[in-house]
Amino acid sequence: MTLLVTYGPHGNGSGVGYYRQLAEDNFLSWRDLPALAGLQRTRRELFVHPEIIAQQLGLEKAWTEDASQKESECQSWGRLHRAKTDPVCPDCLQENCYIRHFWQHAYVTACPYHRTRLIDVCNQCDKPLSQHRYHIGTCDCGQPLTMLPRIPATSSQLWLSTLITSRGEDANGIAPAIEGVDVSALIKVVHALCTFADPAKPVSRRDGMKSKLVADAIDFLKPLDDLLPDWPKGFHFHVEKRISAGRANARTLNSLLGPWYVMLRKHCLGTPLEPLLTAIIEVAALKFDGALGMDSSKAIAEGVTSYVRAPDAAKAIGVSASRLLKAIQDGECEFRTRRLGTRGQIYEIPCQEVERIQKQRSEWISEETACDLAGVSPSVLLHMMASNVIQSDVNWRNDLLKAGPIQSSSIFKLEGLIRDAATAVAATHSEKMTWAELNSRRMGDKHAIRNTMQAVSEGKIKAVACGARLGDTQFLRSEVTPYFGTPLLESGFSIQQLSKFTGWKWESISHWIDQGLLESESIQLRGQSCRVVLPPQLLAFRQNYVPMADLARGMGTKSSALFKQLSGIEIVGAQQLGDGALRGALIRISDLCRLAVIGAKAGKDLFVPFR
């Protein structure tokens, strides 16, 4: 049998209230509805068979399913579900006469919209409003419910009622401003606040609401009127009382505040209700000399007190706990002590001190990081450290403010100096070398490498091209090589090597160099001065001069005999010995050519064998 009058439920209407209103408009009792659908005359049957109810009564399935869903939510409230009494807001009924869904929640004692208390007792007959009354807007005694008294609700009643009716999304502008809270967690926190309201009174299982009447709920929730108004001062005062009443020898908040604190920490931590837990720790930081943050509220305690325990500070800084303890004992950082246990104590470091140490340590980096930052090999980095072109400290482990041996800013400073002094010069790849190539494997002398690096940092050697990193910076090889021995030595000859290669006496070669007849390069080899003759320099020398010893050897005679025969030829580069003898005499190639031309003109007897 379908109903004559049908319509859908209100968005904020009650599930059972929807069927009660339908029954009233069709001049039936709500118990008649399941009977008309062929079901038992019970409330349960209305909600467990939404398809049958919709089909038999001519309702849309979406309407009956909405009512079932709201009834299921009511059942999830457990003992807080008002299944018998029926509180109402007279103003709401006057605007639109239907039962609101959250009026059935035992902790909802006020109307968030009209800011008045809910009424569940008729002021005419003094009887509770029954959910079985025939007319929703009228008491069984005939009193219109719109005539019920309007009693202003307290701020705490509005706060809690609004949070529940908005499913935790709104607090009606009342502090603490909590949004997005899980209602089930809110209920547990409220229960703890009200059940353990008196710290001097032991809590028993019988404590709680005596019934689900609005008056009993208001009486049970009365502690909220002292805790929440003037937030957070009222709550702070309550926490102070609990701390004063706590165990005298307590060293942690768990032991000081007992189950009240444990329950609040469990349900507030990590939720929008966390301001309650924060307020507790704020008071404890001032009134309690024990250790805070020894439980899951450690992060809040650190934020409130601006102190962290030494082990956590050591982890944040990046050192071992023993290293930080040594720094505390040596006075390298600020700290304070807090009592722990019966005789023990713990060290705590100010958060600002931790940040300061972290900042200082971040400026000092490891060798591996420095190599990557500068774009050089470890060996080149060691030369940079030894030459003092960057700031380093080999004993950095003894300094709490250093996380590595290299100061990163000094690398950037050196790179900036080189970049500012750089002068672009066109040169081939073979004429250039990079900073990263300044290593012992390629250049040899460590002392010379360090001198070169110092010369670059002082601007004596200028870069000709700058790369993305310091190691890519390029310099002219001709400006760098005078500081090194090995590259020049590998491409040329030392005096001893040239003497061995040509058969010339090394004293003569040295004298030719001193006279400017043979050019050479001066280098530092293993800390000692050394002269090197490059192939182009040797070629230039041979194009202009020929040693008389080579001529004599080619003619099968001695230098002294040849010297007498060439008495009319100018001899250059000869070194006079103590006995008057000459060594290392040179003849110009141009003079020999002139002699050859003269002889050719003189006739065929010019090239007769020498006697």
Side-chain angles (χ1 to χ4, degrees):
M1 173 182 174
T2 60
L3 299 176
L4 295 177
V5 180
T6 61
Y7 45 79
H10 294 277
N12 63 341
S14 162
V16 69
Y18 169 61
Y19 288 118
R20 288 171 59 188
Q21 190 174 13
L22 276 177
E24 180 180 343
D25 291 343
N26 284 275
F27 302 99
L28 300 170
S29 168
W30 68 266
R31 293 182 183 275
D32 296 330
L33 299 182
L36 292 176
L39 303 173
Q40 295 181 8
R41 297 168 59 87
T42 63
R43 176 171 173 166
R44 179 178 180 275
E45 293 295 294
L46 281 173
F47 302 106
V48 297
H49 303 291
E51 301 87 354
I52 298 175
I53 295 294
Q55 182 180 5
Q56 296 298 323
L57 300 184
L59 304 175
E60 292 187 13
K61 184 180 177 181
W63 299 346
T64 58
E65 287 182 344
D66 179 74
S68 296
Q69 185 273 329
K70 290 178 178 176
E71 178 67 12
S72 176
E73 184 177 7
C74 289
Q75 297 299 325
S76 69
W77 298 339
R79 62 183 181 82
L80 296 179
H81 176 213
R82 294 183 177 122
K84 296 180 180 180
T85 58
D86 202 15
V88 297
C89 170
D91 290 324
C92 287
L93 292 181
Q94 189 169 6
E95 293 174 1
N96 201 337
C97 190
Y98 66 91
I99 301 298
R100 273 59 171 179
H101 173 58
F102 281 101
W103 287 351
Q104 299 177 67
H105 196 291
Y107 279 0
V108 176
T109 59
C111 174
Y113 308 102
H114 300 103
R115 308 179 77 86
T116 58
R117 290 186 188 178
L118 297 182
I119 306 296
D120 61 353
V121 176
C122 177
N123 64 334
Q124 186 70 29
C125 63
D126 292 330
K127 291 183 180 180
L129 299 177
S130 172
Q131 291 188 357
H132 302 292
R133 65 184 184 276
Y134 187 77
H135 295 291
I136 291 176
T138 307
C139 178
D140 288 336
C141 70
Q143 164 82 337
L145 299 186
T146 56
M147 301 299 292
L148 293 173
R150 275 71 167 173
I151 304 174
T154 65
S155 61
S156 63
Q157 292 167 0
L158 288 172
W159 178 82
L160 180 58
S161 298
T162 305
L163 280 172
I164 295 176
T165 55
S166 67
R167 291 185 169 86
E169 296 300 324
D170 182 33
N172 209 344
I174 303 172
I178 294 173
E179 298 178 355
V181 66
D182 180 65
V183 174
S184 61
L186 173 66
I187 296 305
K188 293 174 182 176
V189 169
V190 169
H191 181 267
L193 291 175
C194 297
T195 303
F196 296 89
D198 187 353
K201 178 183 176 182
V203 177
S204 67
R205 295 182 179 179
R206 295 181 180 180
D207 291 330
M209 288 189 300
K210 297 178 180 179
S211 70
K212 298 172 185 176
L213 292 175
V214 172
D216 292 322
I218 290 176
D219 184 61
F220 175 74
L221 298 173
K222 188 173 180 56
L224 297 181
D225 291 334
D226 298 325
L227 300 179
L228 301 184
D230 195 20
W231 174 267
K233 292 183 179 179
F235 193 76
H236 282 171
F237 179 72
H238 177 72
V239 176
E240 288 184 22
K241 288 174 57 179
R242 301 194 78 93
I243 291 176
S244 299
R247 291 170 48 191
N249 59 347
R251 294 295 177 265
T252 65
L253 284 183
N254 285 340
S255 59
L256 177 70
L257 301 179
W260 177 80
Y261 170 73
V262 173
M263 292 182 65
L264 292 183
R265 176 170 54 81
K266 177 181 179 182
H267 298 297
C268 293
L269 187 64
T271 73
L273 293 166
E274 199 167 273
L276 296 172
L277 185 58
T278 302
I280 295 173
I281 297 177
E282 285 174 348
V283 177
L286 298 174
K287 303 296 183 178
F288 179 52
D289 61 352
L292 301 179
M294 300 299 291
D295 48 39
S296 55
S297 64
K298 179 175 67 174
I300 299 177
E302 292 175 357
V304 169
T305 64
S306 297
Y307 278 84
V308 295
R309 293 187 295 123
D312 297 320
K315 185 176 181 180
I317 292 171
V319 298
S320 64
S322 59
R323 175 66 185 90
L324 183 59
L325 179 60
K326 182 178 183 301
I328 290 173
Q329 294 171 344
D330 294 343
E332 295 183 50
C333 64
E334 297 180 18
F335 68 95
R336 74 175 184 182
T337 59
R338 306 293 282 181
R339 292 188 297 170
L340 180 66
T342 56
R343 297 182 180 178
Q345 66 178 11
I346 60 173
Y347 293 101
E348 292 184 343
I349 312 298
C351 293
Q352 288 186 344
E353 182 73 356
V354 174
E355 293 175 359
R356 181 186 73 86
I357 296 174
Q358 287 175 325
K359 184 178 183 300
Q360 292 282 338
R361 288 177 60 84
S362 67
E363 297 177 1
W364 290 80
I365 57 179
S366 65
E367 294 179 349
E368 181 180 358
T369 303
C371 287
D372 183 66
L373 183 64
V376 298
S377 64
S379 61
V380 173
L381 181 67
L382 289 176
H383 290 310
M384 292 168 63
M385 296 169 61
S387 61
N388 294 322
V389 296
I390 60 174
Q391 189 69 30
S392 63
D393 184 2
V394 294
N395 298 317
W396 63 274
R397 295 183 185 278
N398 297 326
D399 192 339
L400 183 65
L401 301 181
K402 295 177 181 177
I406 312 295
Q407 188 180 40
S408 59
S409 60
S410 65
I411 297 178
F412 294 116
K413 181 179 179 181
L414 174 62
E415 186 176 0
L417 289 174
I418 296 175
R419 191 180 300 274
D420 293 341
T423 303
V425 175
T428 63
H429 179 72
S430 60
E431 294 175 332
K432 295 183 291 185
M433 65 181 302
T434 65
W435 180 275
E437 293 177 323
L438 298 177
N439 57 68
S440 299
R441 182 178 62 83
R442 296 180 59 87
M443 311 304 289
D445 194 353
K446 295 181 180 180
H447 183 74
I449 292 174
R450 294 164 188 175
N451 287 341
T452 302
M453 289 182 172
Q454 290 175 351
V456 171
S457 67
E458 295 169 0
K460 298 177 180 178
I461 301 176
K462 300 183 183 298
V464 295
C466 297
R469 296 184 293 180
L470 175 61
D472 302 324
T473 305
Q474 297 179 336
F475 306 88
L476 286 178
R477 190 179 295 273
S478 60
E479 292 187 2
V480 174
T481 49
Y483 290 85
F484 293 90
T486 302
L488 285 175
L489 194 59
E490 290 178 351
S491 60
F493 303 92
S494 65
I495 294 178
Q496 288 80 1
Q497 289 173 333
L498 185 60
S499 175
K500 184 177 181 181
F501 177 73
T502 60
W504 303 337
K505 294 184 180 298
W506 73 269
E507 295 93 340
S508 298
I509 297 173
S510 178
H511 181 68
W512 296 337
I513 293 173
D514 293 338
Q515 294 296 313
L517 302 175
L518 175 60
E519 294 184 358
S520 66
E521 300 289 342
S522 297
I523 64 172
Q524 293 289 325
L525 186 62
R526 291 180 291 276
Q528 300 295 324
S529 178
C530 177
R531 289 178 291 184
V532 175
V533 179
L534 300 177
Q537 296 169 336
L538 179 61
L539 176 62
F541 175 76
R542 295 304 300 265
Q543 288 174 341
N544 290 288
Y545 306 101
V546 58
M548 187 173 292
D550 289 352
L551 290 176
R553 191 181 305 111
M555 299 177 66
T557 185
K558 294 183 178 180
S559 298
S560 57
L562 183 59
F563 179 75
K564 294 177 181 180
Q565 296 293 327
L566 297 176
S567 59
I569 300 298
E570 182 182 3
I571 304 299
V572 296
Q575 180 183 15
Q576 188 170 5
L577 301 180
D579 57 359
L582 297 178
R583 176 178 293 173
L586 299 175
I587 299 177
R588 292 186 177 90
I589 295 294
S590 58
D591 290 343
L592 290 178
C593 290
R594 283 195 294 271
L595 288 176
V597 171
I598 293 172
K601 291 180 178 180
K604 62 180 181 179
D605 295 334
L606 178 64
F607 297 102
V608 296
F610 180 76
R611 294 288 185 269

